[in-house]
Amino acid sequence: MAKTLQARTGGTGLKRAARMLAAALLVMSVAACAATFRNHGYVPTEAELAQIEVGKDTQDTVAEKVGRPTAAGLLNDEGWFYVQSRYRFFGPREPQEIDRQVLAITFSPAGTVQNIERFGLEQGQVVAISRRVTESNIKGIGLINQLFSNFGRVGADTLLQ
């Protein structure tokens, strides 16, 4: 009788261990598929931007107050661009960008802050979130505008030369 009791308890002990192992594997597999989020880049907060005075601060004072950006103007040093993205990672799927903010600080030719704009990414479209401007004209001409502005300037005499 003692032997049959040991066989019974030993068998239920293995079943219990197998159930615990299966439950642990299930919990780990569900946890592995949980979404994780990562932030990349840096954008100053509104409190930090409140320290910057449009028309007074220069590139050096902006660098002291909020730090230097990772990107600046491509053709000239008229603008600083701070970019921050938030990505969602879910299991084996490709990471998905769920939020992006771009802060653009443009400088006048004299070197003072001319404009501060914040852009977001909503449904694949760039959307202006906030803007502080001293002048109504924003510097910079787009590529398409530059291309189309040259169409009327070509004459037949320049083609024959």
Side-chain angles (χ1 to χ4, degrees):
M1 182 158 178
K3 290 182 181 180
T4 58
L5 184 61
Q6 284 179 349
R8 286 184 193 164
T9 57
T12 51
L14 287 176
K15 287 181 184 178
R16 184 179 303 162
R19 285 184 195 153
M20 294 286 265
L21 181 62
L25 288 173
L26 179 67
V27 168
M28 288 191 316
S29 65
V30 169
C33 291
T36 57
F37 299 91
R38 291 188 188 159
N39 295 321
H40 297 274
Y42 163 73
V43 170
T45 63
E46 288 296 327
E48 292 172 327
L49 290 176
Q51 299 173 8
I52 299 174
E53 294 183 47
V54 176
K56 289 187 178 181
D57 279 316
T58 63
Q59 289 182 351
D60 294 331
T61 59
V62 170
E64 290 174 11
K65 293 178 181 179
V66 297
R68 292 198 174 270
T70 55
L74 298 176
L75 299 177
N76 49 29
D77 202 20
E78 289 182 3
W80 284 5
F81 304 99
Y82 299 85
V83 182
Q84 181 179 22
S85 296
R86 183 169 175 84
Y87 289 91
R88 178 178 183 241
F89 293 83
F90 187 74
R93 297 182 186 163
E94 181 179 345
Q96 178 184 13
E97 185 176 24
I98 58 173
D99 185 35
R100 181 189 308 156
Q101 286 191 15
V102 177
L103 177 74
I105 300 177
T106 55
F107 298 96
S108 68
T112 59
V113 174
Q114 182 177 3
N115 184 13
I116 299 174
E117 286 184 286
R118 185 183 296 267
F119 299 97
L121 179 68
E122 295 184 17
Q123 298 176 351
Q125 302 293 323
V126 175
V127 178
I129 297 174
S130 67
R131 184 175 183 188
R132 296 190 308 186
V133 181
T134 56
E135 296 177 12
S136 61
N137 184 13
I138 297 176
K139 287 202 170 197
I141 299 173
L143 176 66
I144 303 296
N145 193 6
Q146 289 176 6
L147 291 174
F148 284 124
S149 66
N150 288 328
F151 275 123
R153 296 184 187 173
V154 178
D157 58 336
T158 57
L159 291 175
L160 295 175
Q161 292 178 355

